[in-house]
Amino acid sequence: MTTWFITGASRGFGVEIARQALDRGDDVVATARDPKTVEKALPGYADRLLAVALDVNDEAAARRAVDAAVDRFGTIDVLVNNAGRGLVGAIEETSDAEARAVFDTNLFGLLAVTRAVLPVMRRQRSGRIVNLSSIGGIRSWPGWGMYAATKFAVEAVTEAMSQELAPLGIQAIAIEPGPFRTDFLDSTSLHRTEQVIDDYAASSGRMRSWSDETNHAQEGDPVKAATAILTIVDTPQMPVRLALGGSCVTDIEAKLREVAADLNKWRELSVSTDFATTG
C-alpha cells in the first residue's frame, strides 16, 4: 500500500490521480483550498482518503497538512505537486503582481510543500516526488512566457533534486503534459493579464483566442494521463522527466532539433570564447 500526498486534488490531474490511487487500495491525502471540494469529487473513500485544507503559498499550512498526513497514515510515499496557476499575456503586458502570483503558486508553493514533506521521506530513506511541469517547461510561445518561466524553473528544480535526493533513496520526476482536457483553460485556473497592448494582437492576442477556442477540446485524456503517472511512479527507477501527449512529444522533438541546429551553426563562435590552450 502506498500513501500519496496530492496538492490541487479537487479537479484535473490531481483528482484523477487520487481516484485511481484510491481505487487500487492506496491511501491518499488530497489537499485543496476547500477540502469539501475534494470530498465531493471523491465520495465513498472515507477510510483511505484524508481531505486537507491547503493553500500551497502558506508554508505553515503545508507543515500542518504533512503532520495530519503522518498522524493518519504514518508515512508519505509519493508527493504530487499538482496545484498550479496559468497566465496568458505578453511579457510587456504582465504586471509585477501578475508575474509574482503565478510564480508564487507554480514554483514557491511547490517548494514550500516539498520542504514540508522531505523530512518525512529523508527519515524513511524512500519516497517519490512528482512535480507537474508542462510542455511549457521545455519550450515557450507568445503569450505564455511568464507561465513557461515558472515551468522552466520546475524543470531545473526537479533535475537538481533528482541528483540531490538519489543517495537518500528518494526519486524526483517532472511530468510534462501537453494540452489535456482539464479545467486549465477555465477562468478559474487560467488568468489573463489585465493590460492588453494592441501591438501584440497577432502574437499573445492570438493565444487568448486559442485558449477560448480550445477549452475542453484539448486532445489529451486526463484519465489516461493519471494512469501513466501511476505507472511511472511504480517503476523501480523513474526517469527525470516524462512527456505526456502526442503533441508534447512532437514539440519536444522539434525543440531538440532547433537547439542542435543552433549549436552546430554557431559552434565555432561558441568555443572561441575559451582561453587559448598552450603546450
Side-chain angles (χ1 to χ4, degrees), residues 8 31 107 109 112 142 156 195 207 224 268:
T31 76
L107 178 61
Q195 181 178 203
M207 288 301 176
K224 292 179 179 179
E268 185 175 346

Side-chain angles (χ1 to χ4, degrees), residues 84-109:
R85 178 187 182 102
L87 179 67
V88 63
I91 299 299
E92 186 184 355
E93 293 173 330
T94 305
S95 70
D96 184 73
E98 290 166 335
R100 289 177 184 276
V102 71
F103 266 94
D104 280 346
T105 297
N106 294 357
L107 178 61
F108 294 111

Side-chain angles (χ1 to χ4, degrees), residues 127-221:
R128 304 287 175 101
I129 297 175
V130 179
N131 292 331
L132 264 292
S133 178
S134 166
I135 177 57
I138 300 295
R139 67 177 311 153
S140 189
W141 289 271
W144 295 100
M146 198 56 64
Y147 171 76
T150 68
K151 295 303 185 178
F152 269 59
V154 169
E155 294 277 333
V157 165
T158 305
E159 189 168 326
M161 286 174 54
S162 70
Q163 298 171 66
E164 294 167 355
L165 297 174
L168 307 178
I170 304 167
Q171 298 181 36
I173 185 172
I175 302 294
E176 301 160 346
F180 274 78
R181 203 167 299 177
T182 66
D183 294 334
F184 176 72
L185 296 179
D186 287 357
S187 60
T188 54
S189 180
L190 179 63
H191 298 258
R192 297 162 185 253
T193 57
E194 183 176 347
Q195 181 178 203
V196 176
I197 299 173
D198 289 342
D199 283 345
Y200 295 112
S203 55
S204 60
R206 290 179 60 189
M207 288 301 176
R208 293 187 182 93
S209 300
W210 176 87
S211 299
D212 292 334
E213 296 162 1
T214 308
N215 192 19
H216 295 295
Q218 300 96 318
E219 69 264 28
D221 182 341

Side-chain angles (χ1 to χ4, degrees), residues 3-275:
T3 299
W4 298 69
F5 188 105
I6 305 171
T7 67
S10 63
R11 59 182 182 172
F13 291 133
V15 72
E16 292 298 339
I17 295 167
R19 180 179 290 113
Q20 292 187 32
L22 289 162
D23 283 343
R24 72 179 193 176
D26 291 345
D27 296 325
V28 172
V29 181
T31 76
R33 288 175 182 266
D34 181 359
K36 292 181 180 178
T37 61
V38 172
E39 295 166 351
K40 183 178 179 180
L42 296 167
Y45 299 103
D47 57 332
R48 287 180 289 106
L49 172 66
L50 175 63
V52 179
L54 175 59
D55 176 349
V56 298
N57 295 312
D58 185 340
E59 191 154 4
R63 290 194 296 269
R64 290 194 297 270
V66 168
D67 288 343
V70 174
D71 287 345
R72 175 72 174 270
F73 297 121
T75 186
I76 297 172
D77 300 304
V78 183
L79 165 62
V80 181
N81 282 308
N82 171 69
R85 178 187 182 102
L87 179 67
V88 63
I91 299 299
E92 186 184 355
E93 293 173 330
T94 305
S95 70
D96 184 73
E98 290 166 335
R100 289 177 184 276
V102 71
F103 266 94
D104 280 346
T105 297
N106 294 357
L107 178 61
F108 294 111
L110 177 151
L111 292 173
V113 175
T114 301
R115 283 193 296 267
V117 170
L118 272 176
V120 177
M121 292 184 172
R122 285 192 291 104
R123 284 196 299 270
Q124 63 199 26
R125 283 301 193 263
S126 66
R128 304 287 175 101
I129 297 175
V130 179
N131 292 331
L132 264 292
S133 178
S134 166
I135 177 57
I138 300 295
R139 67 177 311 153
S140 189
W141 289 271
W144 295 100
M146 198 56 64
Y147 171 76
T150 68
K151 295 303 185 178
F152 269 59
V154 169
E155 294 277 333
V157 165
T158 305
E159 189 168 326
M161 286 174 54
S162 70
Q163 298 171 66
E164 294 167 355
L165 297 174
L168 307 178
I170 304 167
Q171 298 181 36
I173 185 172
I175 302 294
E176 301 160 346
F180 274 78
R181 203 167 299 177
T182 66
D183 294 334
F184 176 72
L185 296 179
D186 287 357
S187 60
T188 54
S189 180
L190 179 63
H191 298 258
R192 297 162 185 253
T193 57
E194 183 176 347
Q195 181 178 203
V196 176
I197 299 173
D198 289 342
D199 283 345
Y200 295 112
S203 55
S204 60
R206 290 179 60 189
M207 288 301 176
R208 293 187 182 93
S209 300
W210 176 87
S211 299
D212 292 334
E213 296 162 1
T214 308
N215 192 19
H216 295 295
Q218 300 96 318
E219 69 264 28
D221 182 341
V223 175
K224 292 179 179 179
T227 300
I229 291 169
L230 266 71
T231 299
I232 206 70
V233 166
D234 287 342
T235 59
Q237 182 62 51
M238 297 192 302
V240 178
R241 55 188 62 81
L242 177 69
L244 294 180
S247 66
C248 181
V249 171
T250 300
D251 286 340
I252 291 174
E253 289 172 338
K255 173 67 176 284
L256 293 174
R257 289 193 298 270
E258 292 165 12
V259 172
D262 283 344
L263 280 174
N264 289 332
K265 181 177 181 179
W266 299 103
R267 177 180 297 275
E268 185 175 346
L269 179 62
S270 297
V271 301
S272 71
T273 58
D274 290 344
F275 281 108

